[in-house]
């Protein structure tokens, strides 16, 4: 998928607004311990205009909550950054300044960096003179590509599962990352909507080739019998949804051709003939002919 076609901010906003508590627990347990999650509400999107640059900027996520043992409200500001920007700390400072001007509340700023390059992102912005520090602004950061993905696979945390796709793995580990993601998804036992959200997020950033999918199935089959079945059922259920969508699109071109195209892809991924016939509605003879 082309980089320009991915709405990174929307994907991250959907993930973090659905699993806000789990996000803080995963990356900032010291903050998690202080937040009273009985009081959480998501504020409307804020749009700031940069008059000098002639651009509009949207604040990604604003969460109004409380700290334990305190009556006053605070705001957690989470900003996602999918590309390198030298002036990013300054932009964070401007956002928080304007948010404070509007809400007059304490604001906790957090930045998530998801681009692939390795870089030491600053977490502060200062304005100072030799005789005085006027501004010493700091914010919390998460640099996903620096996170060792294997350290997160034993945590039953939905945010950890989704973000495996953006963590520090190499090309040879792609199949292993998806395998562990599927195992985490099975253990989490989420409802269908949340499961679909995590699966869609993961697949956006880590899509295996057909050869890698075959390798994945082989590795899944080597797991313990009970776990292997659950993971296989999960794979099949999502592939079936994709096939159903493909069949719907195929109506315009011809239903039969759409089914045949899907059957060819399934053969390429190692599905047996009876399973292909069951899912596509094609006859055994029709599928056997595709083998040649």
């Amino acid at each position: 998928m082309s980089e320009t076609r991915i709405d990174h901010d929307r994907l991250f906003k959907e993930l973090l607004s659905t699993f806000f508590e789990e996000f803080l627990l995963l990356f900032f347990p010291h903050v998690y311990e202080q937040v009273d999650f009985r009081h959480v509400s998501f504020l409307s999107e804020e749009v700031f205009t940069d008059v000098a640059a002639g651009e509009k900027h949207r604040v990604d996520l604003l969460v109004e909550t409380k700290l334990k043992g305190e009556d006053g409200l605070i705001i957690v500001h989470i900003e996602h950054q999918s590309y390198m920007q030298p002036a990013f700390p300054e932009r964070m400072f401007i956002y928080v300044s304007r948010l404070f001007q509007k809400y007059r509340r304490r604001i906790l700023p957090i930045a998530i960096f998801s681009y692939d390059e390795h870089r030491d992102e600053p977490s502060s912005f200062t304005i100072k003179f030799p005789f005085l520090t006027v501004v010493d602004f700091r914010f919390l950061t998460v640099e996903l590509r620096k996170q060792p993905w294997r350290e997160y696979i034993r945590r039953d945390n939905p945010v950890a599962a989704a973000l495996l796709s953006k963590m520090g793995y190499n090309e040879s580990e792609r199949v292993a990352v998806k395998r562990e993601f599927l195992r985490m998804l099975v253990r989490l036992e989420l409802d269908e909507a949340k499961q679909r959200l995590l699966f869609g997020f993961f697949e956006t950033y880590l899509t295996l080739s057909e050869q890698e999918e075959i390798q994945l199935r082989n590795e899944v089959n080597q797991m313990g019998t009970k776990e292997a079945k659950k993971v296989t059922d999960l794979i099949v259920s999502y592939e079936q949804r994709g096939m159903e969508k493909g069949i719907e699109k195929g109506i315009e071109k011809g239903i039969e051709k759409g089914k045949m195209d899907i059957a060819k892809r399934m053969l390429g991924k190692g599905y047996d003939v009876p399973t292909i016939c069951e899912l596509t509605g094609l006859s055994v003879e029709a599928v056997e002919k595709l083998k040649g």
Side-chain angles (χ1 to χ4, degrees):
M1 185 176 292
S2 172
E3 182 77 9
T4 57
R5 295 181 183 176
I6 301 175
D7 189 346
H8 301 284
D9 292 341
R10 180 190 62 79
L11 286 168
F12 273 81
K13 184 174 182 177
E14 188 175 5
L15 177 69
L16 299 182
S17 59
T18 303
F19 300 107
F20 171 66
E21 185 173 346
E22 291 85 350
F23 167 72
L24 289 184
L25 174 62
L26 182 66
F27 292 115
F28 306 107
H30 61 297
V31 176
Y32 173 86
E33 290 297 325
Q34 297 295 322
V35 174
D36 185 347
F37 291 99
R38 296 174 301 173
H39 304 278
V40 171
S41 62
F42 295 91
L43 302 179
S44 59
E45 184 179 75
E46 294 286 348
V47 180
F48 297 135
T49 301
D50 185 336
V51 178
E55 299 175 346
K56 289 185 177 180
H57 301 286
R58 287 176 169 80
V59 172
D60 288 340
L61 192 65
L62 291 178
V63 186
E64 187 177 71
T65 185
K66 290 183 177 182
L67 297 182
K68 294 176 181 176
E70 296 186 8
D71 292 330
L73 294 169
I74 68 166
I75 292 174
V76 179
H77 165 214
I78 303 176
E79 193 71 17
H80 166 247
Q81 186 71 2
S82 62
Y83 59 93
M84 289 189 293
Q85 183 182 38
F88 180 77
E90 179 181 340
R91 180 155 67 89
M92 283 290 285
F93 170 68
I94 292 171
Y95 281 177
V96 169
S97 298
R98 293 186 180 179
L99 290 170
F100 181 77
Q101 183 180 29
K102 177 175 180 177
Y103 292 100
R104 297 292 175 175
R105 291 177 189 153
R106 287 178 296 169
I107 298 168
L108 176 64
I110 301 173
I112 306 172
F113 301 98
S114 67
Y115 52 76
D116 294 335
E117 293 84 355
H118 284 267
R119 168 185 163 94
D120 293 325
E121 281 289 350
S123 58
S124 64
F125 174 75
T126 59
I127 299 175
K128 61 183 179 180
F129 299 93
F131 50 83
L132 178 67
T133 297
V134 179
V135 172
D136 186 8
F137 169 71
R138 300 175 185 276
F139 52 98
L140 298 175
T141 63
V142 180
E143 294 181 64
L144 292 177
R145 192 52 79 177
K146 287 185 177 181
Q147 304 301 316
W149 69 275
R150 292 185 184 277
E151 292 186 8
Y152 291 88
I153 60 177
R154 299 301 174 196
R155 305 190 192 188
D156 292 333
N157 186 305
V159 176
L163 292 181
L164 286 183
S165 61
K166 294 298 292 178
M167 290 185 181
Y169 57 84
N170 56 48
E171 286 297 306
S172 66
E173 296 176 311
R174 285 163 50 86
V175 173
V177 173
K178 185 167 183 180
R179 183 192 66 226
E180 296 305 322
F181 163 73
L182 292 169
R183 296 176 74 181
M184 292 174 75
L185 213 54
V186 166
R187 292 198 307 269
L188 286 167
E189 297 183 341
L190 300 169
D191 62 54
E192 185 178 345
K194 290 180 178 178
Q195 190 180 83
R196 192 164 57 245
L197 167 60
L198 297 183
F199 206 99
F201 186 100
F202 185 93
E203 287 278 308
T204 298
Y205 293 110
L206 203 170
T207 303
L208 300 183
S209 66
E210 288 194 7
Q211 189 60 42
E212 289 172 324
E213 287 287 356
I214 293 172
Q215 180 184 339
L216 172 65
R217 285 180 172 278
N218 291 335
E219 292 185 8
V220 168
N221 290 335
Q222 294 172 12
M223 295 179 187
T225 306
K226 188 175 181 181
E227 184 182 29
K229 184 180 185 311
K230 288 182 177 180
V231 173
T232 299
D233 288 346
L234 185 62
I235 294 173
V236 170
S237 69
Y238 276 92
E239 289 190 345
Q240 184 173 0
R241 289 175 192 172
M243 285 184 288
E244 288 169 352
K245 289 181 179 178
I247 290 173
E248 289 174 4
K249 290 180 180 178
I251 290 174
E252 297 176 1
K253 302 177 183 177
I255 294 176
E256 206 64 25
K257 183 180 184 304
K259 290 182 177 181
M260 298 291 274
D261 289 343
I262 289 165
K264 285 181 183 178
R265 291 200 297 271
M266 293 180 73
L267 284 170
K269 291 186 177 182
Y271 279 89
D272 57 48
V273 173
T275 300
I276 295 173
C277 293
E278 179 183 352
L279 295 177
T280 63
L282 293 172
S283 66
V284 173
E285 293 76 16
V287 176
E288 288 289 351
K289 285 181 181 180
L290 294 174
K291 286 185 174 181

